[in-house]
Structure formats: C-alpha cells, structure tokens
Amino acid sequence: MPELTTDCDRVIVIGIPPSDVMDFNILHMMRLVQMMMEIKISEDYCRSDIYVADYGNLTKRVISKITPSILKKFELCTFVSYTYTFCLYKDSRA
C-alpha cells in the first residue's frame, strides 16, 4: 500500500496469480516474497507489517506442491531472521 496506516503500519497484500497450475513454482514465489521483504527492510520506515493473503486461486494441485520441508525452510529463512535480526520495537501492541 502506498500509505501507512494511522499506527504507522505497512499493509502488504500477497496472493497466488491466476495462471496454469503446472507452471506454478512455490520456490519462485517464496524467493519473490523474500526479495520483497529485503527491499522493504532496507528502504521502508514503518513500525510493523500487516499481511493480507488472498487464497482465491489456491487449488489442490498447488497445495500438493507445498511440502513440509519447503515450509520449514521458508520459515527459517524468512520469519526467524526477519523477526530477530530486523526487529526494532520490543514493546507490546496491546
């Protein structure tokens, strides 16, 4: 989103593009998400992120391409490093 919310949060909308399922590559999508996060970390000044996921084009064939090992690697590469390395605010959001 081009503007921050009133609490200085950035809203990020992600979704699966409507394309041929046989051409869908989950590793490519995860790579794009990680590159987007790296650019956002280096160039954006916001308090926190709000992620909105659109699963309208999610099918059984796409889900079958997502394995537990891929999800674990994505979690380790993205969320763990993003949370511990780049977290500037330790206060609670209550």
Side-chain angles (χ1 to χ4, degrees):
M1 302 287 282
E3 296 179 11
L4 298 175
T5 63
T6 56
D7 293 333
C8 294
D9 298 333
R10 175 73 61 198
V11 177
I12 299 171
V13 180
I14 47 178
I16 298 173
S19 62
D20 187 19
V21 178
M22 299 306 289
D23 294 335
F24 180 75
N25 186 349
I26 188 67
L27 295 176
H28 179 68
M29 184 174 170
M30 289 180 178
R31 188 178 311 124
L32 290 174
V33 169
Q34 289 177 346
M35 288 189 296
M36 178 190 69
M37 290 175 72
E38 287 179 13
I39 292 171
K40 194 188 89 43
I41 288 169
S42 65
E43 297 182 6
D44 193 16
Y45 298 100
C46 64
R47 183 174 173 183
S48 66
D49 300 328
I50 299 171
Y51 290 94
V52 178
D54 177 18
Y55 296 120
N57 296 322
L58 193 65
T59 62
K60 291 178 186 177
R61 187 168 264 175
V62 171
I63 292 173
S64 68
K65 293 184 176 191
I66 303 171
T67 63
S69 62
I70 290 175
L71 286 176
K72 184 66 175 177
K73 289 176 185 178
F74 183 70
E75 178 199 8
L76 289 174
C77 292
T78 305
F79 296 115
V80 174
S81 64
Y82 182 69
T83 302
Y84 294 117
T85 306
F86 302 106
C87 183
L88 299 176
Y89 297 100
K90 299 288 184 183
D91 61 341
S92 65
R93 300 291 311 261

